[in-house]
Amino acid sequence: MASSGIAQAAGPASAPAGSAPAGPAAGSAGTDAIKKLPGKTFDSPADRTVTSPVPGEQAGQAAPAQGGTGTRKLSAVIGVGLHATVSSAHGIDLETKLFPTDTSNLAVTIAWGDGTTSTFNTTVGGGGNDTRITKHKYATVGVFDIKVTAKDASQGVQGSNQVTVGTLGAEFTPHTPTRVLDTRSGVGAAAAKVGARSTVALKIDGAAQIPVGAYAVVLNVTVTNADGPGHISVQPTKSSAENATTSNLNFTAGQTVPNLVVATVGNDGYVYLFNAGWQSVDLLADVTGYFTPQTASGYKSVTQSRVVDTRSGLGTAQGPVAGQSGFDVAIAGRNGVPYGVTAVALNLTVTNPQDAGHLTAYPSGQAAPTTSSVNFTAGQTVANAVIVPVSADGKISIRNGSWHPADVILDVVGYYTPTSRSALVPVGVPVRLLDTRVPDGNRPAAPVPARGYFVLGMEGDTTTPEVDGWVLNTTVTNTKGPGFLSVDPDPNYWSNYQNGNAVVPNRPVSSTLNWTAGATVPNVAQTSGGKGGIVDFWNQGWESADLLVDLLGYYESN
């Protein structure tokens, strides 16, 4: 294993010769992450029903019940109540409640707003009701007006109601890396440090040409000039930020720490960054993309693989990248990434830097932006997740903003393309799925052992996972020595673990985050859950470490 603690492509970190990888951490637990999330609903009460004659009936036979000008009172009124619940990225469950005043033979039509309809017939006694749920899946994400009409032809009357719904899923639009927050210079907030236990309100709607109505935004958030230790929580409301039980990045005094954040945008068009420490800090945020309920680019996971390692010459010239210089990386056409992608999800790692500085990832063929993707000090190994727009030639560029050389490593984890239907479902307030410091059910509090892995079932005991990819904020703490974390889909079903016949997964050769003794280090991992909806978290160090996992969102095609 390399002294930097990063798995080498040419010589993957592994157990000693003749030994098998350690088994899963004791007390591993399965969960259904989606069931932990609150539902999103849309309503149109029955009192908003519009009653009117059935088209084609003779004039004067019936008259509108609301706002009409007819001369005869309708012999019956059919109330229609609508309650819609989003069930997946593209799916919706529509509950219809029909309340006729007289016994009615009803022909019901549901116009879903996408050019398709569903129909059913029912007979309902006067004073009774018909309540049922009809499921529908939209071919695209978006906002749709659903109209339900219930007709009783024998009485010449119909009732109609409608409700506007938005799909739960949103698709990705890449954005040239742009700084939207810098408290050092007054970009996006006052030019002043963020005080202890204080919050910054960052406007997203309309900022940097981000459209109004974005569901989520991709930000590279960086803390610097920290006067003491603490953590930052990024949330859709001020209240949720200040009462968060999760964190997006952790820091100590004097550290400069970045982390990718896929942040849900609040109803007011803002995201809120809370400094949970007891000392002041400066905050920076760079936008690299956003998700809207409009057709754009969907996500596709790939098996995490190394595309660049300057230590071995993989993907570029061998040797550290000189200061104030960079190189292009061919992304499309390699490692499962096709041509025509709009952006790529990567894990960007710097190691062996000779001085402090930063790396910037951006589309090739463009001037290097004044943003950073990962920050480092001399001798530090730091990884950060990035989502980078890809140029038309299928390439991205990496620039070393330090004045001295540094080695660079890139692992690809997924990509965004117009041909994919896999849309992001942002969770709103992040949900903690795992904290090995705290007992949970039958799992005792215990760190992930050295060279071992923790198995986390994300969709219960399923053989048909519904989720294409998970967006997880991983944090390692209580570290006793150097090491790195790998996150990988598991090859088993959950029942294999319950029955004791699970196969041991292959040890990954890529890294998600790196740590030294005593450090608390976060990073975002985007990964699929394999055939059983299970994710493995590998402690690739030689000492145990505690692990925290927070759910930020997930991608679905259905």
Side-chain angles (χ1 to χ4, degrees):
M1 185 173 67
S3 59
S4 63
I6 306 172
Q8 292 265 14
S14 62
S19 66
S28 304
T31 184
D32 194 333
I34 297 176
K35 290 184 178 178
K36 292 178 178 285
L37 306 177
K40 187 176 182 182
T41 61
F42 307 86
D43 288 283
S44 187
D47 59 14
R48 291 177 54 187
T49 301
V50 174
T51 304
S52 61
V54 173
E57 297 294 329
Q58 294 181 357
Q61 186 175 19
Q66 298 179 358
T69 58
T71 58
R72 289 187 59 187
K73 183 178 180 180
L74 293 169
S75 59
V77 175
I78 304 168
V80 180
L82 305 177
H83 176 80
T85 303
V86 287
S87 56
S88 64
H90 297 82
I92 192 162
D93 293 348
L94 179 67
E95 181 182 75
T96 53
K97 293 185 177 181
L98 309 177
F99 306 90
T101 54
D102 298 337
T103 298
S104 300
N105 297 313
L106 301 177
V108 183
T109 300
I110 303 173
W112 294 105
D114 60 355
T116 67
T117 60
S118 298
T119 61
F120 65 88
N121 297 300
T122 183
T123 299
V124 186
N129 71 84
D130 179 290
T131 301
R132 66 180 67 194
I133 292 177
T134 305
K135 296 180 178 291
H136 183 69
K137 287 191 177 179
Y138 290 100
T140 64
V141 298
V143 177
F144 302 92
D145 294 321
I146 301 175
K147 184 175 182 180
V148 177
T149 303
K151 299 180 182 179
D152 186 337
S154 64
Q155 300 191 62
V157 63
Q158 66 181 22
S160 62
N161 204 347
Q162 62 182 40
V163 61
T164 300
V165 302
T167 56
L168 197 58
E171 294 194 0
F172 181 71
T173 299
H175 192 293
T176 299
T178 305
R179 184 142 292 169
V180 291
L181 174 67
D182 191 337
T183 60
R184 303 170 303 180
S185 60
V187 175
K193 279 189 171 183
V194 183
R197 313 293 296 175
S198 296
T199 301
V200 172
L202 178 60
K203 184 174 174 59
I204 298 299
D205 278 358
Q209 299 183 333
I210 301 171
V212 173
Y215 278 15
V217 62
V218 179
L219 300 171
N220 193 59
V221 177
T222 303
V223 62
T224 191
N225 300 327
D227 293 331
H231 66 268
I232 305 296
S233 295
V234 184
Q235 303 270 357
T237 69
K238 185 173 185 290
S239 175
S240 62
E242 295 177 352
N243 294 282
T245 57
T246 60
S247 61
N248 293 94
L249 57 93
N250 304 71
F251 54 89
T252 59
Q255 261 193 319
T256 295
V257 181
N259 197 18
L260 185 76
V261 178
V262 180
T264 301
V265 180
N267 293 333
D268 59 359
Y270 283 77
V271 297
Y272 295 83
L273 299 89
F274 177 60
N275 172 19
W278 294 100
Q279 303 291 332
S280 60
V281 299
D282 275 313
L283 289 176
L284 293 70
D286 303 323
V287 61
T288 61
Y290 53 86
F291 294 86
T292 58
Q294 298 174 352
T295 301
S297 292
Y299 184 68
K300 178 68 175 177
S301 291
V302 298
T303 300
Q304 184 169 343
S305 57
R306 188 144 293 173
V307 292
V308 168
D309 191 336
T310 61
R311 300 171 301 178
S312 63
L314 175 66
T316 188
Q318 185 175 7
V321 182
Q324 300 296 307
S325 68
F327 59 93
D328 290 345
V329 182
I331 292 295
R334 302 173 56 200
N335 300 81
V337 180
Y339 288 96
V341 299
T342 58
V344 62
L346 300 161
N347 205 55
L348 172 62
T349 303
V350 61
T351 192
N352 306 322
Q354 296 180 18
D355 201 356
H358 65 272
L359 299 180
T360 300
Y362 58 99
S364 70
Q366 300 183 12
T370 57
T371 59
S372 60
S373 301
V374 62
N375 302 74
F376 51 87
T377 57
Q380 192 178 27
T381 295
V382 184
N384 195 32
V386 292
I387 297 176
V388 187
V390 177
S391 293
D393 62 0
K395 296 180 180 180
I396 65 171
S397 296
I398 305 295
R399 183 176 187 274
N400 176 13
S402 173
W403 292 100
H404 293 86
D407 277 308
V408 176
I409 300 160
L410 275 177
D411 298 318
V412 63
V413 300
Y415 60 87
Y416 298 86
T417 173
T419 61
S420 173
R421 292 184 69 250
S422 193
L424 175 74
V425 179
V427 303
V429 176
V431 177
R432 178 141 294 170
L433 300 179
L434 174 67
D435 186 342
T436 60
R437 303 169 302 178
V438 180
D440 182 12
N442 295 323
R443 177 184 60 79
V448 183
R451 311 298 292 166
Y453 60 102
F454 193 102
V455 177
L456 190 61
M458 302 294 292
E459 296 186 65
D461 189 5
T462 182
T463 57
T464 55
E466 297 178 1
V467 173
D468 303 319
W470 297 93
V471 186
L472 306 170
N473 195 68
T474 60
T475 303
V476 171
T477 191
N478 296 330
T479 56
K480 299 178 178 64
F484 64 95
L485 179 76
S486 298
V487 181
D488 222 29
D490 189 278
N492 298 284
Y493 297 113
W494 191 252
S495 57
N496 295 137
Y497 284 103
Q498 292 176 314
N499 298 332
N501 58 5
V503 300
V504 177
N506 293 324
R507 184 179 295 277
V509 298
S510 56
S511 58
T512 297
L513 59 85
N514 303 74
W515 68 81
T516 55
T520 296
V521 183
N523 198 15
V524 164
Q526 294 202 136
T527 180
S528 73
K531 67 181 184 180
I534 304 170
V535 178
D536 295 334
F537 301 86
W538 290 80
N539 173 5
Q540 303 272 37
W542 297 95
E543 302 284 349
S544 64
D546 276 308
L547 173 66
L548 290 70
V549 179
D550 300 327
L551 176 63
L552 304 182
Y554 57 93
Y555 297 97
E556 268 190 330
S557 300
N558 295 322

